[in-house]
Amino acid sequence: LVLVVDYGSQYSRLITRRIRENEVYSEVVFPDDPVDLSKVDAVVLSGGPKSVYEEGAPGLPEWFREYRGPVLAICYGMQLIVKEFGGEVKRGRGEYGRTLVELSEDPLFEGIPDRIHVWMSHGDEVVKLPEGFHPIAVSETGVIAAATDGKRFWLLQFHPEVHHTEYGDRMISNFLFNVCKLEKNWKIGDLVEEKIRHIKETIGNKKAILALSGGVDSSVAAVLVHRAIGKNLVCVFVDHGLLRKNEREEVERVFKEHFDMNLVVVDARKRFLEKLRGVTDPEKKRKIIGEEFIRVFEEEAKKHDVEFLVQGTIYSDVIESAASGKTTAKIKSHHNVGGLPEKMNLKLVEPLRDLFKDEVRKVGKYLGIPDRIINRHPFPGPGLAVRVLGEVTEEKLEILREADYIFIETLRKHDYYDKVWQAFAVLLPIKSVGVKGDARAYEYVVALRAVNSVEGMTADWSRIPHDILDEASRRITREVKGVGRVVYDITSKPPATIEWE
Ligand code: XMP
């Protein structure tokens, strides 16, 4: 296990990911988390936003005094080690962004040219190294960019984990295999089997329940737990009437027929639509749907004698909820099935909690889940309710479903679905004038949206080839009754959000 101590850097998760990509297991901890040292092979100290001399700047973890293994200390981590071991750190001119550095010979830099560009982001700098340390890299402005004691400590002022650093991956693999002499022993298959064993142990012959949305995370969690406890897992799929075309049938086909799971489909379409009648405010819609969802789910849970609640929480959810402090403004309240456990008094099982999205997909592939589900675009919990702008009616949902279906099928046909992060149609609450045949038409406007993004926090509108957009537009205006105009959204996030509501 390689432990990454997170000092608040936006890159800590990336370090873990880079390590796992080398088939070595890694986890992130905060400096004051307790740690079982017998499991730790190496430690990475991450960067962080503070200066080591600032009031309240986090220090080395308690357990670090007993730890005797190798350490890779990055940015803030480097300055912390220097300060704690008798060197000196001072406020400097700062280096930000691409910086040229000159490397000396060292196991950490094996196979890397002498002069490379690295990614820097620091205000303080090391002016004197602790005794026994020597520099192994110097930046173009003369700042110590890397140092080591040749025994346990490797210190980097720059960030090897970001891809702007040339040979950053090589430095990380050099650290793991050259310096720490670790073995590649972390494989998805082992991980899955280990998880299945663990779930069996935890749940035993009791029953568990899970809200299946058909999205990647809940699908993978469902199949994984099903592998462990079989039909004792009750999967509840709530059809709230805000789903895309064929969605419910697809979920039934995959999970009931293909995987032979214990799937309960609740038809709650009427309930949701009634609750949404007359509601136009997006946040109100979300609130109503979130609450109603919990109610439906609770009613279902009561029918089965369940003790455990399985959730498809993944690593980024954990980190985001830990990091989303008081300072982040609420833009939209993202209702999924969060908040269920406290109310329901069930024991929580979250088998994907330590995995990144791409790892969840690998697990899904290993478990034999079809690509169509694994590579699905994200879909919001409130579904089409936030894509029918204004009041939601069955008539409007039907129009949107058809338009959205055509857009997505067109992307698939041209091999473009996997090239965008998320794509969908939106039904605008306005009508516009057109001409069909020789007559004047006055019909709805559909907006198409497609974005490229990494995690949805920021996004750029996708430059979909015009011919593909043209085909989608022609088909939608021709085949979907009630739509007279199609527009394409060319706004990025920020300033817009990905969804229109
Ligand atoms: P926005 O519109 O905030 O969307 O830029 C970012 C990502 O989150 C999804 N989204 C939601 N997901 N419940 C969800 O589960 C919601 O209420 C919700 N609103 C937006 C959106 O589809 C995009 O992937």
Side-chain angles (χ1 to χ4, degrees), residues 119-180:
W119 193 255
M120 292 277 194
S121 179
H122 65 104
D124 289 357
E125 61 191 46
V126 172
V127 292
K128 185 176 148 255
L129 286 168
E131 228 180 272
F133 282 73
H134 61 275
I136 49 174
V138 180
S139 79
E140 54 194 325
T141 57
V143 176
I144 299 174
T148 180
D149 66 347
K151 295 187 203 97
R152 281 186 61 205
F153 290 98
W154 276 262
L155 318 177
L156 296 178
Q157 186 56 72
F158 53 88
H159 292 271
E161 69 275 21
V162 304
H163 67 241
H164 306 287
T165 291
E166 294 168 345
Y167 298 92
D169 286 346
R170 182 67 196 257
M171 287 178 209
I172 288 174
S173 68
N174 280 344
F175 175 70
L176 299 173
F177 306 119
N178 251 359
V179 171
C180 304

Coordinates of all heavy atoms in Angstrom, one line a residue, residues 119-180:
W119 N 5.8 21.1 -14.1 CA 4.7 22.0 -13.7 C 5.0 22.4 -12.2 O 5.0 21.6 -11.3 CB 3.4 21.2 -13.8 CG 2.2 22.2 -13.7 CD1 1.4 22.3 -12.6 CD2 1.8 23.1 -14.7 NE1 0.4 23.2 -12.9 CE2 0.6 23.7 -14.2 CE3 2.2 23.4 -16.0 CZ2 -0.1 24.7 -14.9 CZ3 1.5 24.4 -16.7 CH2 0.4 25.0 -16.1
M120 N 5.1 23.7 -12.0 CA 5.4 24.2 -10.7 C 4.2 25.0 -10.2 O 3.5 25.6 -11.1 CB 6.6 25.2 -10.8 CG 7.9 24.6 -11.0 SD 8.6 24.0 -9.5 CE 10.3 23.7 -10.1
S121 N 4.0 25.1 -9.0 CA 3.0 26.0 -8.4 C 3.3 26.2 -6.9 O 2.8 25.6 -6.0 CB 1.6 25.3 -8.5 OG 0.6 26.1 -8.0
H122 N 4.3 27.1 -6.7 CA 4.6 27.4 -5.3 C 5.1 28.8 -5.1 O 5.7 29.4 -6.0 CB 5.7 26.4 -4.9 CG 7.0 26.6 -5.6 ND1 8.1 27.2 -5.0 CD2 7.4 26.3 -6.9 CE1 9.1 27.2 -5.9 NE2 8.7 26.7 -7.0
G123 N 4.8 29.4 -3.9 CA 5.3 30.7 -3.6 C 6.5 30.6 -2.7 O 7.5 31.3 -2.9
D124 N 6.5 29.7 -1.7 CA 7.7 29.5 -0.9 C 8.7 28.6 -1.6 O 8.4 27.9 -2.5 CB 7.3 28.7 0.4 CG 6.4 29.5 1.3 OD1 6.2 30.7 1.0 OD2 6.0 29.0 2.3
E125 N 10.0 28.8 -1.2 CA 11.0 27.9 -1.8 C 12.0 27.5 -0.7 O 12.2 28.1 0.3 CB 11.7 28.6 -2.9 CG 12.4 29.9 -2.5 CD 12.9 30.7 -3.8 OE1 12.0 30.9 -4.7 OE2 14.0 31.1 -3.8
V126 N 12.7 26.4 -1.0 CA 13.7 25.8 -0.1 C 15.0 26.6 -0.4 O 15.5 26.6 -1.5 CB 13.9 24.3 -0.4 CG1 15.0 23.8 0.4 CG2 12.6 23.5 -0.1
V127 N 15.5 27.2 0.7 CA 16.8 27.9 0.5 C 17.9 27.1 1.2 O 19.1 27.3 0.8 CB 16.7 29.3 1.1 CG1 15.8 30.2 0.3 CG2 16.3 29.3 2.6
K128 N 17.6 26.2 2.1 CA 18.7 25.4 2.7 C 18.1 24.0 3.0 O 17.1 23.9 3.6 CB 19.2 26.1 4.0 CG 20.4 25.4 4.6 CD 20.9 26.1 5.9 CE 21.4 25.1 6.9 NZ 20.5 24.9 8.0
L129 N 18.9 23.0 2.5 CA 18.4 21.6 2.7 C 18.8 21.1 4.1 O 19.9 21.6 4.6 CB 19.0 20.7 1.6 CG 18.4 20.9 0.2 CD1 19.2 20.1 -0.8 CD2 16.9 20.3 0.2
P130 N 18.1 20.2 4.7 CA 18.6 19.6 5.9 C 19.9 18.9 5.7 O 20.2 18.5 4.6 CB 17.5 18.6 6.3 CG 16.3 18.9 5.4 CD 16.9 19.6 4.2
E131 N 20.6 18.6 6.8 CA 21.8 17.9 6.7 C 21.6 16.5 6.1 O 20.7 15.8 6.4 CB 22.4 17.7 8.1 CG 23.9 18.1 8.2 CD 24.4 17.9 9.6 OE1 24.3 18.9 10.3 OE2 24.9 16.8 9.9
G132 N 22.6 16.1 5.2 CA 22.5 14.8 4.6 C 21.7 14.8 3.3 O 21.7 13.8 2.6
F133 N 21.1 15.9 3.0 CA 20.3 16.0 1.7 C 21.2 16.7 0.6 O 22.0 17.6 1.0 CB 19.0 16.8 1.9 CG 17.9 16.0 2.6 CD1 18.0 15.7 3.9 CD2 16.8 15.6 1.8 CE1 17.0 15.0 4.5 CE2 15.8 14.9 2.5 CZ 15.9 14.6 3.8
H134 N 21.0 16.3 -0.6 CA 21.6 17.1 -1.7 C 20.6 17.3 -2.8 O 19.7 16.5 -3.1 CB 22.9 16.4 -2.2 CG 22.6 15.0 -2.8 ND1 22.5 13.9 -2.0 CD2 22.3 14.6 -4.0 CE1 22.2 12.8 -2.7 NE2 22.1 13.2 -4.0
P135 N 20.8 18.4 -3.6 CA 19.8 18.7 -4.6 C 20.0 17.8 -5.8 O 21.2 17.3 -6.1 CB 20.2 20.1 -5.1 CG 21.4 20.6 -4.3 CD 21.8 19.5 -3.4
I136 N 19.0 17.4 -6.5 CA 19.1 16.5 -7.7 C 18.4 17.2 -8.9 O 18.4 16.6 -9.9 CB 18.5 15.1 -7.4 CG1 17.1 15.1 -6.8 CG2 19.5 14.3 -6.6 CD1 16.5 13.8 -6.7
A137 N 17.8 18.4 -8.6 CA 17.3 19.1 -9.7 C 17.2 20.6 -9.4 O 16.9 20.9 -8.2 CB 15.8 18.6 -10.1
V138 N 17.5 21.4 -10.3 CA 17.5 22.9 -10.1 C 16.7 23.5 -11.3 O 16.9 23.1 -12.4 CB 19.0 23.4 -10.1 CG1 19.0 25.0 -9.9 CG2 19.8 22.8 -9.1
S139 N 15.9 24.5 -10.9 CA 15.1 25.1 -12.0 C 15.8 26.2 -12.7 O 16.9 26.7 -12.2 CB 13.8 25.6 -11.4 OG 14.0 26.9 -10.7
E140 N 15.3 26.7 -13.8 CA 16.0 27.7 -14.6 C 16.3 29.0 -13.7 O 17.2 29.8 -14.0 CB 15.2 28.1 -15.8 CG 13.8 28.4 -15.6 CD 12.9 28.4 -16.9 OE1 13.5 28.7 -17.9 OE2 11.7 28.0 -16.8
T141 N 15.5 29.3 -12.7 CA 15.7 30.5 -11.9 C 16.6 30.2 -10.7 O 16.8 31.0 -9.8 CB 14.4 31.0 -11.4 OG1 13.7 30.0 -10.6 CG2 13.5 31.5 -12.5
G142 N 17.1 28.9 -10.6 CA 18.1 28.6 -9.6 C 17.5 28.1 -8.3 O 18.2 27.8 -7.3
V143 N 16.2 27.8 -8.3 CA 15.6 27.2 -7.1 C 15.8 25.7 -7.1 O 15.8 25.1 -8.1 CB 14.0 27.5 -7.2 CG1 13.3 26.9 -6.0 CG2 13.8 29.0 -7.2
I144 N 15.9 25.2 -5.9 CA 16.1 23.7 -5.7 C 14.8 23.1 -6.1 O 13.7 23.3 -5.5 CB 16.5 23.4 -4.3 CG1 17.8 24.0 -3.9 CG2 16.5 21.8 -4.1 CD1 18.2 23.8 -2.4
A145 N 14.8 22.3 -7.2 CA 13.5 21.7 -7.7 C 13.3 20.3 -7.2 O 12.2 19.8 -7.2 CB 13.5 21.7 -9.2
A146 N 14.4 19.6 -6.7 CA 14.3 18.3 -6.2 C 15.5 18.0 -5.3 O 16.6 18.5 -5.6 CB 14.2 17.2 -7.3
A147 N 15.4 17.1 -4.3 CA 16.5 16.8 -3.4 C 16.2 15.4 -2.9 O 15.1 14.9 -2.9 CB 16.6 17.8 -2.3
T148 N 17.3 14.8 -2.3 CA 17.2 13.5 -1.7 C 18.2 13.4 -0.6 O 19.2 14.1 -0.6 CB 17.3 12.4 -2.7 OG1 17.2 11.1 -2.1 CG2 18.6 12.4 -3.4
D149 N 18.0 12.4 0.3 CA 19.1 12.0 1.2 C 19.7 10.7 0.8 O 20.5 10.2 1.4 CB 18.5 11.9 2.7 CG 17.5 10.7 2.8 OD1 17.1 10.2 1.8 OD2 17.2 10.4 3.9
G150 N 19.2 10.3 -0.4 CA 19.8 9.0 -1.0 C 19.3 7.8 -0.3 O 19.7 6.7 -0.6
K151 N 18.6 7.9 0.8 CA 18.2 6.8 1.6 C 16.6 6.6 1.6 O 16.1 5.6 1.1 CB 18.7 6.9 3.0 CG 20.2 6.9 3.2 CD 20.5 6.9 4.6 CE 21.9 7.5 4.9 NZ 21.9 8.9 5.3
R152 N 16.0 7.5 2.2 CA 14.5 7.4 2.4 C 13.7 8.5 1.8 O 12.5 8.3 1.5 CB 14.2 7.5 3.9 CG 14.5 6.3 4.7 CD 14.0 6.6 6.1 NE 12.6 6.8 6.2 CZ 12.0 7.5 7.1 NH1 12.6 8.1 8.1 NH2 10.7 7.7 7.1
F153 N 14.3 9.7 1.6 CA 13.5 10.8 1.2 C 13.8 11.3 -0.2 O 15.0 11.5 -0.5 CB 13.7 12.0 2.2 CG 13.2 11.7 3.6 CD1 14.0 11.3 4.6 CD2 11.8 12.0 3.8 CE1 13.5 11.1 5.9 CE2 11.3 11.7 5.1 CZ 12.1 11.3 6.1
W154 N 12.7 11.4 -1.0 CA 12.9 12.1 -2.3 C 11.9 13.2 -2.3 O 10.7 13.1 -2.0 CB 12.6 11.1 -3.4 CG 13.8 10.3 -3.7 CD1 14.6 10.5 -4.8 CD2 14.3 9.2 -3.1 NE1 15.7 9.6 -4.8 CE2 15.5 8.8 -3.7 CE3 14.0 8.4 -1.9 CZ2 16.3 7.7 -3.3 CZ3 14.7 7.4 -1.5 CH2 15.9 7.0 -2.2
L155 N 12.4 14.4 -2.5 CA 11.6 15.6 -2.4 C 11.5 16.3 -3.8 O 12.5 16.5 -4.5 CB 12.3 16.6 -1.5 CG 12.8 16.1 -0.2 CD1 13.5 17.2 0.6 CD2 11.8 15.4 0.7
L156 N 10.3 16.6 -4.2 CA 10.1 17.3 -5.5 C 9.3 18.6 -5.3 O 8.2 18.6 -4.6 CB 9.2 16.4 -6.4 CG 9.8 15.1 -6.9 CD1 8.9 14.4 -7.8 CD2 11.2 15.3 -7.6
Q157 N 9.9 19.7 -5.8 CA 9.1 21.0 -5.7 C 8.0 21.1 -6.7 O 7.0 21.7 -6.5 CB 10.1 22.1 -5.9 CG 9.5 23.5 -5.6 CD 8.9 23.6 -4.3 OE1 9.6 23.7 -3.2 NE2 7.6 23.6 -4.2
F158 N 8.1 20.3 -7.8 CA 7.1 20.3 -8.9 C 6.2 19.1 -8.7 O 6.3 18.3 -7.9 CB 7.8 20.4 -10.2 CG 8.8 19.2 -10.4 CD1 8.4 18.0 -10.9 CD2 10.1 19.4 -10.1 CE1 9.3 17.0 -11.1 CE2 11.0 18.4 -10.3 CZ 10.6 17.1 -10.8
H159 N 5.2 19.1 -9.6 CA 4.1 18.1 -9.5 C 4.3 17.0 -10.6 O 3.9 17.2 -11.8 CB 2.8 18.7 -9.7 CG 2.4 19.6 -8.5 ND1 1.7 19.1 -7.4 CD2 2.6 20.9 -8.3 CE1 1.6 20.1 -6.6 NE2 2.1 21.2 -7.1
P160 N 4.8 15.8 -10.2 CA 5.0 14.8 -11.2 C 3.7 14.2 -11.7 O 3.6 13.5 -12.7 CB 5.8 13.7 -10.5 CG 5.5 13.9 -9.1 CD 5.2 15.4 -8.9
E161 N 2.6 14.4 -10.9 CA 1.3 13.7 -11.2 C 0.5 14.4 -12.3 O -0.4 13.8 -12.8 CB 0.5 13.6 -9.9 CG 0.0 14.9 -9.4 CD 1.0 15.7 -8.5 OE1 2.2 15.4 -8.6 OE2 0.5 16.5 -7.7
V162 N 0.9 15.7 -12.6 CA 0.1 16.4 -13.7 C 0.7 16.1 -15.0 O 2.0 16.0 -15.1 CB -0.1 17.9 -13.4 CG1 -0.7 18.1 -12.1 CG2 1.2 18.6 -13.6
H163 N -0.1 16.0 -16.1 CA 0.6 15.6 -17.3 C 1.4 16.7 -18.0 O 2.1 16.5 -18.9 CB -0.4 15.0 -18.3 CG -1.5 15.9 -18.8 ND1 -2.8 15.7 -18.6 CD2 -1.4 17.0 -19.5 CE1 -3.5 16.7 -19.1 NE2 -2.6 17.5 -19.7
H164 N 1.3 18.0 -17.5 CA 2.2 19.0 -18.0 C 3.7 18.8 -17.6 O 4.6 19.4 -18.2 CB 1.8 20.4 -17.4 CG 0.4 20.8 -17.6 ND1 -0.1 21.1 -18.9 CD2 -0.6 20.8 -16.8 CE1 -1.4 21.4 -18.7 NE2 -1.7 21.2 -17.5
T165 N 3.9 17.9 -16.6 CA 5.3 17.6 -16.2 C 5.7 16.5 -17.1 O 5.2 15.4 -17.1 CB 5.3 17.2 -14.8 OG1 5.1 18.3 -13.9 CG2 6.7 16.6 -14.4
E166 N 6.8 16.8 -17.9 CA 7.3 15.8 -18.8 C 7.9 14.7 -18.0 O 8.6 14.9 -17.0 CB 8.4 16.4 -19.8 CG 7.7 17.4 -20.7 CD 8.8 18.3 -21.4 OE1 10.0 18.3 -21.0 OE2 8.4 19.0 -22.4
Y167 N 7.7 13.5 -18.4 CA 8.2 12.3 -17.7 C 7.7 12.1 -16.3 O 8.3 11.4 -15.5 CB 9.7 12.3 -17.8 CG 10.3 12.2 -19.2 CD1 10.6 13.4 -19.9 CD2 10.5 11.0 -19.8 CE1 11.1 13.3 -21.2 CE2 11.0 10.9 -21.1 CZ 11.3 12.1 -21.8 OH 11.7 12.1 -23.1
G168 N 6.6 12.8 -16.0 CA 6.1 12.7 -14.6 C 5.7 11.2 -14.3 O 6.0 10.7 -13.2
D169 N 5.1 10.5 -15.3 CA 4.7 9.1 -15.0 C 5.9 8.3 -14.8 O 5.9 7.4 -13.9 CB 4.0 8.6 -16.3 CG 2.6 9.1 -16.5 OD1 2.1 9.7 -15.5 OD2 2.0 9.0 -17.6
R170 N 7.0 8.6 -15.5 CA 8.2 7.8 -15.3 C 8.8 8.0 -13.9 O 9.3 7.1 -13.3 CB 9.2 8.2 -16.4 CG 10.5 7.5 -16.4 CD 10.3 6.0 -16.8 NE 11.4 5.2 -16.4 CZ 12.3 4.7 -17.3 NH1 12.2 5.0 -18.5 NH2 13.4 4.0 -16.8
M171 N 8.7 9.3 -13.4 CA 9.2 9.6 -12.1 C 8.5 8.8 -11.1 O 9.0 8.2 -10.1 CB 9.1 11.0 -11.8 CG 10.1 11.9 -12.5 SD 9.9 13.6 -12.1 CE 10.5 14.4 -13.6
I172 N 7.1 8.7 -11.2 CA 6.3 7.9 -10.3 C 6.6 6.5 -10.4 O 6.8 5.8 -9.3 CB 4.8 8.2 -10.5 CG1 4.6 9.7 -10.0 CG2 3.9 7.2 -9.8 CD1 3.2 10.2 -10.3
S173 N 6.8 5.9 -11.6 CA 7.1 4.5 -11.7 C 8.5 4.3 -11.2 O 8.8 3.2 -10.5 CB 6.9 3.9 -13.1 OG 7.8 4.5 -14.0
N174 N 9.4 5.2 -11.4 CA 10.8 5.1 -10.9 C 10.8 5.0 -9.3 O 11.5 4.2 -8.7 CB 11.7 6.2 -11.3 CG 12.2 6.0 -12.7 OD1 12.2 4.9 -13.2 ND2 12.7 7.1 -13.3
F175 N 9.9 5.9 -8.8 CA 9.8 5.9 -7.3 C 9.3 4.5 -6.8 O 9.9 3.9 -5.9 CB 8.9 7.0 -6.8 CG 8.7 7.0 -5.3 CD1 9.7 7.3 -4.4 CD2 7.4 6.6 -4.8 CE1 9.5 7.3 -3.1 CE2 7.2 6.6 -3.4 CZ 8.3 6.9 -2.6
L176 N 8.3 4.0 -7.5 CA 7.7 2.8 -7.0 C 8.6 1.6 -7.2 O 8.7 0.8 -6.3 CB 6.4 2.5 -7.8 CG 5.3 3.5 -7.6 CD1 4.1 3.2 -8.5 CD2 4.8 3.6 -6.1
F177 N 9.2 1.5 -8.3 CA 9.9 0.3 -8.7 C 11.5 0.4 -8.5 O 12.1 -0.6 -8.1 CB 9.6 -0.2 -10.1 CG 8.1 -0.3 -10.3 CD1 7.4 0.5 -11.2 CD2 7.3 -1.2 -9.5 CE1 6.0 0.4 -11.4 CE2 6.0 -1.3 -9.6 CZ 5.3 -0.5 -10.6
N178 N 12.0 1.6 -8.7 CA 13.5 1.7 -8.6 C 13.9 2.0 -7.1 O 14.8 1.5 -6.6 CB 13.9 2.9 -9.4 CG 14.7 2.5 -10.6 OD1 14.9 1.3 -10.8 ND2 15.1 3.5 -11.4
V179 N 13.1 3.0 -6.6 CA 13.4 3.4 -5.2 C 12.8 2.5 -4.2 O 13.5 1.9 -3.3 CB 12.9 4.9 -5.0 CG1 13.1 5.2 -3.5 CG2 13.7 5.8 -5.9
C180 N 11.5 2.2 -4.2 CA 10.9 1.4 -3.2 C 10.9 -0.1 -3.5 O 10.5 -0.9 -2.6 CB 9.4 1.8 -3.1 SG 9.2 3.6 -2.7

